[in-house]
Amino acid sequence: MIPYDYNRVVMEAQPGVPDSDYINASFIDGILKPNAYIAAQGPNEHTLADFWRAVWEQNSHVIVMLTKVFDFIRVMCDRYWPLDMDHPETYGGDIEVTLLSESSLANYNIRTMQMKRGDETRQLSHMHYVSWPTHTNPFPCALLDFRRRVKACIALYQDNGPLIVHCSDGCGRTGAYICIDSNLDLVEEDGVYDVYGYTKSLRNARRGMIEDVNQYRFIYDALEEALISGQTWFPVSQISQRLKQKSQKNPITRQNEYQREYQKICKTSAKFTIGDRAGGHRLENRDKNRTISTVPRKKTLFFLSYLFISFFLSS
């Protein structure tokens, strides 16, 4: 997964250090904006300083991370941020990074950090999505909520550089997220999608963007979810007003907003096959289910641990 020369991120060369202008990262045009993104490889032990140099030089204030540090037994990406708010870390000798705050939600973490280089300080947001293991796809509604929070963070900063997006190799999940994000920007601007055309341009910008047909299908699922559900969040101050509005029936359909929303939920909820719920359908587990139609998905199944103790008696 080597970036193309024509659009790779070229950093300022360090005096006396050969090839110090290189990092495995590519500029990616959005559908509406040139160089809207930087698709980057997740930092490893040799590139931690280079990564933070790129963040600083590109004046990026929001980083989207789409992989866990560990996935099963593999290291997918080195931890490149401080763990303790009281102990900043220095990268490359001149970039000091301080963790200011951290919030853990169901599917992602939000970190606010401060970068300091010389006398200049900058603040940035680190958006870390943790529910997207390799070779799988997350729930569209969860990723769309994450994307909404990313957009809110971007709005906090003026003169923000490209949005830095990375997974492990900066290709599969990175490409899927960028495709979803850019198409949702396009629908807000022109009311159209262009998944096929934009995926072709992503593939021409960086190898392996959107790694397989399941990931490609997931993009369509996420865009359909966004179209059907629309904007579902509202301020807490409007709760009383919303309750009154939802109780009013439509004179044509004779349904209130509760009924219409519930129909949307049923339409967009994931439908799992027997293979997705194989554990509960095993012969030895069938009697443990009250109804065969309600069996947990393998991904969310709770496993019991058994301790076997063998006693060997010798005469």
Side-chain angles (χ1 to χ4, degrees):
M1 299 299 179
I2 307 299
Y4 300 122
D5 283 339
Y6 86 92
N7 68 332
R8 73 177 179 89
V9 176
V10 180
M11 299 193 297
E12 298 175 4
Q14 294 181 307
V17 182
D19 302 318
S20 56
D21 66 341
Y22 176 80
I23 187 173
N24 193 323
S26 307
F27 286 110
I28 306 294
D29 291 338
I31 298 178
L32 302 177
K33 179 183 176 183
N35 290 348
Y37 309 95
I38 290 177
Q41 171 188 275
N44 59 37
E45 58 181 329
H46 305 291
T47 62
L48 296 177
D50 295 336
F51 181 82
W52 283 112
R53 280 175 54 214
V55 174
W56 183 274
E57 292 175 9
Q58 297 302 322
N59 195 35
S60 296
H61 291 272
V62 180
I63 300 171
V64 172
M65 179 176 177
L66 301 172
T67 182
K68 295 180 179 179
V69 174
F70 294 98
D71 197 347
F72 298 105
I73 59 174
R74 292 180 56 196
V75 178
M76 308 302 295
C77 174
D78 276 41
R79 179 187 59 80
Y80 56 88
W81 62 90
L83 286 177
D84 193 343
M85 287 185 283
D86 296 325
H87 296 90
E89 295 185 9
T90 302
Y91 302 92
D94 61 344
I95 298 178
E96 183 182 272
V97 181
T98 304
L99 180 64
L100 302 179
S101 65
E102 182 173 11
S103 300
S104 298
L105 288 84
N107 297 297
Y108 55 91
N109 301 321
I110 301 176
R111 302 180 182 94
T112 303
M113 293 183 256
Q114 178 181 276
M115 295 179 64
K116 182 178 181 181
R117 195 178 197 182
D119 296 329
E120 185 178 355
T121 59
R122 299 176 189 171
Q123 189 167 302
L124 62 91
S125 298
H126 185 257
M127 311 295 292
H128 184 188
Y129 196 84
V130 296
S131 297
W132 197 344
T134 55
H135 310 303
T136 64
N137 293 316
F139 291 112
C141 57
L143 189 67
L144 291 173
D145 176 64
F146 173 72
R147 187 245 179 194
R148 177 180 66 85
R149 297 296 295 267
V150 171
K151 286 293 186 183
C153 287
I154 292 175
L156 297 175
Y157 305 103
Q158 296 180 348
D159 301 325
N160 191 22
L163 175 66
I164 297 178
V165 185
H166 77 85
C167 48
S168 181
D169 54 14
C171 297
R173 288 167 286 182
T174 296
Y177 180 86
I178 290 176
C179 191
I180 292 169
D181 184 60
S182 200
N183 270 280
L184 289 175
D185 288 341
L186 178 63
V187 77
E188 292 178 6
E189 184 78 15
D190 294 335
V192 297
Y193 293 134
D194 186 12
V195 179
Y196 177 81
Y198 189 55
T199 299
K200 287 184 65 178
S201 69
L202 287 175
R203 283 295 187 94
N204 290 329
R206 188 172 173 87
R207 289 192 62 188
M209 298 287 269
I210 306 170
E211 63 182 358
D212 55 32
V213 67
N214 289 327
Q215 211 166 66
Y216 185 67
R217 184 185 295 117
F218 169 72
I219 295 170
Y220 278 96
D221 290 340
L223 295 178
E224 181 191 34
E225 171 93 13
L227 177 65
I228 293 175
S229 299
Q231 179 177 323
T232 60
W233 59 90
F234 54 88
V236 175
S237 59
Q238 295 182 8
I239 183 67
S240 298
Q241 177 185 352
R242 296 276 178 158
L243 289 175
K244 293 178 182 178
Q245 292 175 349
K246 290 181 183 297
S247 299
Q248 298 175 358
K249 288 188 176 182
N250 186 299
I252 299 176
T253 63
R254 306 300 298 170
Q255 290 183 329
N256 59 32
E257 188 62 25
Y258 297 115
Q259 294 169 305
R260 291 193 294 271
E261 281 188 4
Y262 189 73
Q263 287 180 348
K264 287 182 181 179
I265 292 171
C266 294
K267 186 176 181 180
T268 58
S269 297
K271 295 177 176 59
F272 302 118
T273 65
I274 292 179
D276 293 321
R277 299 172 293 174
H281 284 286
R282 289 176 183 167
L283 184 62
E284 62 269 23
N285 291 331
R286 287 184 179 177
D287 292 339
K288 302 174 185 177
N289 304 309
R290 188 175 294 276
T291 170
I292 199 68
S293 62
T294 306
V295 178
R297 188 186 179 194
K298 181 169 60 176
K299 182 180 178 182
T300 56
L301 190 63
F302 178 80
F303 290 95
L304 293 174
S305 299
Y306 291 90
L307 179 63
F308 294 93
I309 303 176
S310 298
F311 295 94
F312 296 93
L313 300 178
S314 61
S315 58

